[in-house]
């Protein structure tokens, strides 16, 4: 009987087809570097290697391992501050598959593709990733290039429906003959290169379910363990189960930059997605815009992150307690000691990599607490955030309000009475859908005085100016391009980004402001955000500022510590002490704290 039973599993295994469980390829949140925030669509092989060398020396021992070449590595003449769609120098093979531009990636010469670069990274114990756009290249369709292994061409599998509005390199791959074979051919090529990670853009919002499934099948057929990331967000939460069944990570937001307003929005987003965190399947809060950014970015200028030290700690604390993948966006060789210390803290990274049951404990106004479990010890992790801001006056107190500015109603003219006023505050606020792509323009702003003489506001210095992303700019958009609204170009104006306040001292005798307000074309072509409210105030739009730091009390019973607990500060490693019923540390405004709560064992 024992011998007979022993044959049953063996016979069964001969007939079974084992499907690879891709969740085992990334059981913890992936950690790495991505070229997007500092190099946009222009990164070179030398720059990728420099960042990889830094990672191998300084970060690999902390768990950082992926090096990802982001968008348009197949265009030889792309540019910063926008994509070159006028005369792109395409590089693709005979089967309509994009290959690296040799002038940017010299080791790809001779048809080698990215294999030499992947080999270089692998030799350092690192992993290699690329960004691709969903779909089939428009140029492959136009040239009717064949699909590997079929008698069909790219012109047989494409649809113009659903084409990305913000970049027109690709058409949708429609389901039908040749579609799966096309994606199979892509990942056959990528596997031959030695790819470990793929970020697929224009896939999450709107959610392209058929192509998500085709990509999953193609990866599985490739024979290589390629971690699959979808982008950008927010992925529809109704598709949470589907995306977790097909991808290792998926975006929960649009492109995230060094903007406090965008960071603050993540508290609600992360709370919404926390119940969907699983080993090998992670909601992705997007990249870490830390260190040196914007060297040749698609948007923004060369700078160190605009996040304050407190905000940087908030970012790392929230991403860690939420277990988001960690993809550093800055130029690693430009890091200072503080940035390196921020991203290599072993106690904080352990929360990101090994905690469970991550969830928001409470939100009381803008005081937020998150908790998670340490499965190894039974301890609790506790993250506390003070996201309080100086409150703003309501729109009802404004001298003029635009009402909603959207892609459907992108512009409005304004005539604002300023008689008797000494101050002017041009204000732009988010219209209710988040601040992503809230690029706003004040166009041809003119001050009129009592004798009717016009004074262009763009000729006067402002007293102060803030923007939710980037910096306000005169006679150009906040992203550095021309002022364009509803397809019309304007020579004079002010480009900014919600949430924004620009303050002026008014010359004596000013009676009126005349201007047009609008959503900049850079935002109108996107599929997220872009809803604005323009407001004009003649008195400060701020309420009194809150305290620099406040206590955030937590009842230990909420953490299951009915008999008290001892507390360790995970950022410093310092033991704080023992507490019986309540733990109520001070947390700085825009700052965060992260603790280990050790509960006595019964």
């Amino acid at each position: 009987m024992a011998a007979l039973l022993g044959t049953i599993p063996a016979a069964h295994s001969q007939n079974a087809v084992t499907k690879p469980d891709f969740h085992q390829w990334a059981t913890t949140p992936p950690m790495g570097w991505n070229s997007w925030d500092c190099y946009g669509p222009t990164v070179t092989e030398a720059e990728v290697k420099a960042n990889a060398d830094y990672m191998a020396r300084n970060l690999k021992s902390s768990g950082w391992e992926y090096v990802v070449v982001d968008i348009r590595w197949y265009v030889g003449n792309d540019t910063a501050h926008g994509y070159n769609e006028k005369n792109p120098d395409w590089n693709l093979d005979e089967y309509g598959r994009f290959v690296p531009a040799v002038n940017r990636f010299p080791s790809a010469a001779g048809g080698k593709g990215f294999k030499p670069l992947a080999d270089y990274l692998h030799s350092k114990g690192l992993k290699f990733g690329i960004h691709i756009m969903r779909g089939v290249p428009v140029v492959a369709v136009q040239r009717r290039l064949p699909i590997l292994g079929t008698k069909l061409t790219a012109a047989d599998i494409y649809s113009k429906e659903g084409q990305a509005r913000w970049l027109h390199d690709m058409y949708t791959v429609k389901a039908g003959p040749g579609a799966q074979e096309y994606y199979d051919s892509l990942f056959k090529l990528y596997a031959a290169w030695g790819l470990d990670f793929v970020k697929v853009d224009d896939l999450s919002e709107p959610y392209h379910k058929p192509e998500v499934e085709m990509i999953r099948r193609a990866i599985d057929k490739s024979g290589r363990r390629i971690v699959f990331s979808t982008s950008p967000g927010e992925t529809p939460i109704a598709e949470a189960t589907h995306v977790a069944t097909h991808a290792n990570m998926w975006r929960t937001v649009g492109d995230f930059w060094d903007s406090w307003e965008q960071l603050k929005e993540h508290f609600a987003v992360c709370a919404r997605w926390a119940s969907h965190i699983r080993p090998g399947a992670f909601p992705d809060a997007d990249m870490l815009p830390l260190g040196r950014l914007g060297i040749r970015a698609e948007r923004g200028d060369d700078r160190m992150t605009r996040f304050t030290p407190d905000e940087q700690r908030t970012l790392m604390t929230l991403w860690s307690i939420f277990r988001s993948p960690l993809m550093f966006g800055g130029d690693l060789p430009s890091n200072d000691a503080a940035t390196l210390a921020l991203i290599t803290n072993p106690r904080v990274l352990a929360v990101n990599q090994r905690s469970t049951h991550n969830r928001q404990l409470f939100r009381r106004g803008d005081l937020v607490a998150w908790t998670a479990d340490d499965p190894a010890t039974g301890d609790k992790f506790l993250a506390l955030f003070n996201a309080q801001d100086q409150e703003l006056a309501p729109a009802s107190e404004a001298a003029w309000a635009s009402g909603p500015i959207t892609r459907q109603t992108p512009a409005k003219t304004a005539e604002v009475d300023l008689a008797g006023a000494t101050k002017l505050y041009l204000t732009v606020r988010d219209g209710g859908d988040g601040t992503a792509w809230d690029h706003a323009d004040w166009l041809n702003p003119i001050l009129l005085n009592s004798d009717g003489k016009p004074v262009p506001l763009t000729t006067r210095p402002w007293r102060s100016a803030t923007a939710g992303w980037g910096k306000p700019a005169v006679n150009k958009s906040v992203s550095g391009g021309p002022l364009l609204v509803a397809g019309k170009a304007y020579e004079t104006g002010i480009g900014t980004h919600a949430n924004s306040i620009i303050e002026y001292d008014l010359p004596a005798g000013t009676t009126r402001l005349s201007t047009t307000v609008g959503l900049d074309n850079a935002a109108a072509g996107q599929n997220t955000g872009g809803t604005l409210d323009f407001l004009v105030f003649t008195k400060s739009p701020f309420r009194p500022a809150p305290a620099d730091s406040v206590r955030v009390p937590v009842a230990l019973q909420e953490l299951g510590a009915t008999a008290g607990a001892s507390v360790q500060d995970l950022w410093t490693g310092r033991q704080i002490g023992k507490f019986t019923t309540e733990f109520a540390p001070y947390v700085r405004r825009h700052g965060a704290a992260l603790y280990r709560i050790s509960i006595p064992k019964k």
Side-chain angles (χ1 to χ4, degrees):
M1 179 64 73
L4 178 61
L5 289 174
T7 66
I8 293 174
H12 175 75
S13 65
Q14 289 174 6
N15 297 321
V17 177
T18 303
K19 183 179 180 180
D21 180 10
F22 68 89
H23 296 100
Q24 298 301 314
W25 305 346
T27 56
T28 60
M31 299 168 59
W33 173 82
N34 180 297
S35 62
W36 168 251
D37 283 356
C38 46
Y39 296 109
T42 70
V43 71
T44 67
E45 182 170 1
E47 290 160 339
V48 173
K49 286 183 173 181
N51 278 271
D53 293 346
Y54 180 98
M55 182 180 290
R57 287 194 309 270
N58 301 289
L59 300 178
K60 183 176 178 292
S61 61
S62 297
W64 299 84
E65 59 179 348
Y66 290 95
V67 175
V68 183
V69 177
D70 210 272
I71 198 165
R72 283 194 130 198
W73 37 265
Y74 46 81
V75 176
N77 60 345
D78 221 328
T79 57
H81 296 112
Y83 303 107
N84 177 9
E85 295 198 72
K86 294 180 180 179
N87 61 337
D89 174 21
W90 304 116
N91 290 265
L92 67 169
D93 69 8
E94 68 271 29
Y95 296 111
R97 302 173 297 187
F98 283 131
V99 295
V102 174
N103 63 319
R104 292 169 52 195
F105 299 93
S107 69
K112 296 185 181 70
F114 271 132
K115 189 175 189 312
L117 180 56
D119 289 346
Y120 180 85
L121 299 177
H122 294 156
S123 72
K124 292 180 172 291
L126 304 176
K127 295 181 178 180
F128 176 55
I130 60 172
H131 167 291
I132 66 171
M133 291 288 292
R134 168 190 68 86
V136 59
V138 171
V139 64
V141 172
Q142 293 170 342
R143 298 178 186 175
R144 303 184 69 85
L145 294 177
I147 298 169
L148 181 66
T150 77
K151 296 181 179 180
L152 302 172
T153 75
D156 296 313
I157 65 168
Y158 85 100
S159 170
K160 293 183 179 180
E161 185 176 350
Q163 185 184 35
R165 291 184 292 181
W166 51 273
L167 183 62
H168 303 92
D169 291 359
M170 316 295 280
Y171 285 137
T172 295
V173 172
K174 64 181 181 182
Q180 185 63 56
E181 290 83 353
Y182 165 72
Y183 271 117
D184 290 350
S185 76
L186 281 187
F187 283 91
K188 181 178 181 180
L189 177 65
Y190 301 158
W193 288 346
L195 192 69
D196 305 296
F197 182 100
V198 66
K199 171 184 174 183
V200 186
D201 212 333
D202 191 41
L203 195 60
S204 292
E205 184 187 26
Y207 190 67
H208 293 272
K209 184 179 290 188
E211 287 184 88
V212 169
E213 295 175 356
M214 284 188 258
I215 292 167
R216 174 75 268 146
R217 287 192 291 268
I219 293 173
D220 290 343
K221 291 179 183 179
S222 75
R224 187 163 180 86
R225 297 156 61 103
I226 300 173
V227 172
F228 178 18
S229 167
T230 78
S231 178
E234 182 176 354
T235 304
I237 203 158
E239 300 291 355
T241 299
H242 185 270
V243 73
T245 305
H246 292 83
N248 296 104
M249 48 191 275
W250 57 91
R251 285 274 287 279
T252 61
V253 294
D255 285 355
F256 171 61
W257 287 96
D258 46 340
S259 155
W260 166 251
E261 285 80 5
Q262 285 189 304
L263 177 52
K264 187 172 180 177
E265 290 165 3
H266 272 77
F267 289 107
V269 173
C270 293
R272 190 157 60 240
W273 280 98
S275 63
H276 298 284
I277 301 168
R278 299 285 186 277
F282 300 99
D284 175 15
D286 200 19
M287 290 165 52
L288 302 171
L290 299 171
R292 185 184 177 192
L293 310 171
I295 296 173
R296 293 191 311 278
E298 187 264 335
R299 287 180 290 152
D301 299 316
D302 192 348
R303 66 192 183 280
M304 295 302 288
T305 183
R306 295 191 180 103
F307 283 131
T308 67
D310 284 324
E311 291 165 353
Q312 293 177 47
R313 182 171 286 194
T314 291
L315 171 59
M316 283 298 296
T317 302
L318 181 58
W319 265 235
S320 293
I321 198 74
F322 177 59
R323 299 202 77 196
S324 175
L326 302 178
M327 288 290 168
F328 190 88
D331 180 60
L332 289 172
S334 302
N335 275 355
D336 55 20
T339 303
L340 178 60
L342 181 77
I343 63 175
T344 56
N345 185 300
R347 296 171 297 276
V348 175
L349 292 179
V351 176
N352 175 268
Q353 293 291 292
R354 295 193 289 274
S355 61
T356 59
H357 302 117
N358 310 71
R359 61 205 181 276
Q360 180 176 285
L361 184 64
F362 62 74
R363 182 165 187 171
R364 299 166 185 159
D366 284 336
L367 301 180
V368 185
W370 275 66
T371 188
D373 299 340
D374 181 352
T377 65
D379 290 349
K380 301 286 185 179
F381 297 116
L382 175 66
L384 300 178
F385 305 92
N386 177 357
Q388 291 182 329
D389 283 305
Q390 193 169 7
E391 295 295 326
L392 296 172
S396 60
E397 296 183 13
W400 178 83
S402 66
I405 298 295
T406 68
R407 292 180 177 84
Q408 291 71 42
T409 56
K412 186 173 289 188
T413 59
E415 297 289 336
V416 187
D417 183 5
L418 300 180
T422 61
K423 286 282 193 179
L424 175 66
Y425 300 88
L426 303 182
T427 304
V428 185
R429 296 179 184 173
D430 165 49
D433 57 356
T435 57
W437 290 102
D438 280 358
H439 292 226
D441 296 335
W442 299 88
L443 304 163
N444 294 338
I446 301 293
L447 298 177
L448 299 174
N449 56 29
S450 53
D451 62 9
K453 183 179 180 180
V455 178
L457 187 60
T458 52
T459 64
R460 295 191 58 81
W462 52 56
R463 177 175 285 272
S464 64
T466 62
W469 177 84
K471 294 181 179 180
V474 175
N475 297 336
K476 59 183 179 180
S477 72
V478 70
S479 61
L483 296 164
L484 287 169
V485 171
K488 180 180 177 181
Y490 294 80
E491 290 187 6
T492 61
I494 302 165
T496 188
H497 192 290
N499 293 306
S500 169
I501 298 176
I502 305 174
E503 176 187 355
Y504 291 91
D505 293 321
L506 289 175
T510 300
T511 59
R512 182 168 293 276
L513 168 69
S514 175
T515 189
T516 297
V517 300
L519 177 68
D520 192 85
N521 269 26
Q526 302 300 313
N527 57 11
T528 188
T531 303
L532 308 168
D533 289 314
F534 289 78
L535 305 167
V536 177
F537 288 86
T538 56
K539 295 181 180 179
S540 174
F542 288 111
R543 297 291 191 247
D548 285 340
S549 62
V550 298
R551 285 189 182 275
V552 184
V554 180
L556 293 179
Q557 189 171 5
E558 293 184 77
L559 300 174
T562 56
S566 58
V567 179
Q568 179 191 23
D569 184 325
L570 292 183
W571 275 108
T572 66
R574 185 169 63 93
Q575 296 293 335
I576 304 297
K578 295 183 178 180
F579 300 82
T580 55
T581 59
E582 182 182 76
F583 178 54
Y586 279 97
V587 182
R588 289 173 56 87
R589 185 151 60 97
H590 290 198
L594 184 61
Y595 302 100
R596 175 183 289 274
I597 310 295
S598 298
I599 303 170
K601 303 297 186 292
K602 293 182 181 180

